[in-house]
Amino acid sequence: MNDIVERCLNTFGMMHGLTKDDLDEKRVELTGYIEKLNADGEEDANRLAVSGLTYLRNGMKRRPDIPGTRVSERSV
């Protein structure tokens, strides 16, 4: 699971220009989420990675302190 978590964090970090500290903050939470999906029966690494990226994206929408993640009026 660690390789999937790192894949998600690296991809998401590059897409949003996040620092290592920003990503470290999400690592434990994302790991728990990916492990839960796996325990629920999802075994496909690509699907787990996409789910992880979606999870991160949804979490970032609630983080106005990080540039590029503010939710617009239209998307609410």
Side-chain angles (χ1 to χ4, degrees):
M1 292 300 115
N2 286 339
D3 55 330
I4 295 169
V5 170
E6 291 306 314
R7 181 174 154 193
C8 292
L9 292 172
N10 289 335
T11 300
F12 197 76
M14 286 188 294
M15 291 168 53
H16 294 281
L18 302 179
T19 66
K20 182 180 180 322
D21 289 338
D22 294 330
L23 297 174
D24 287 345
E25 185 178 301
K26 287 293 185 190
R27 183 171 277 106
V28 172
E29 189 177 337
L30 180 61
T31 299
Y33 179 72
I34 296 293
E35 287 176 349
K36 181 188 179 314
L37 292 177
N38 186 248
D40 288 345
E42 183 58 71
E43 295 180 356
D44 184 273
N46 290 325
R47 286 185 185 188
L48 288 168
V50 169
S51 295
L53 288 169
T54 301
Y55 179 82
L56 289 170
R57 183 192 69 211
N58 289 339
M60 294 296 287
K61 287 181 180 178
R62 297 183 297 270
R63 294 285 309 271
D65 58 316
I66 297 178
T69 63
R70 196 175 65 203
V71 178
S72 70
E73 293 284 325
R74 296 181 120 183
S75 65
V76 174

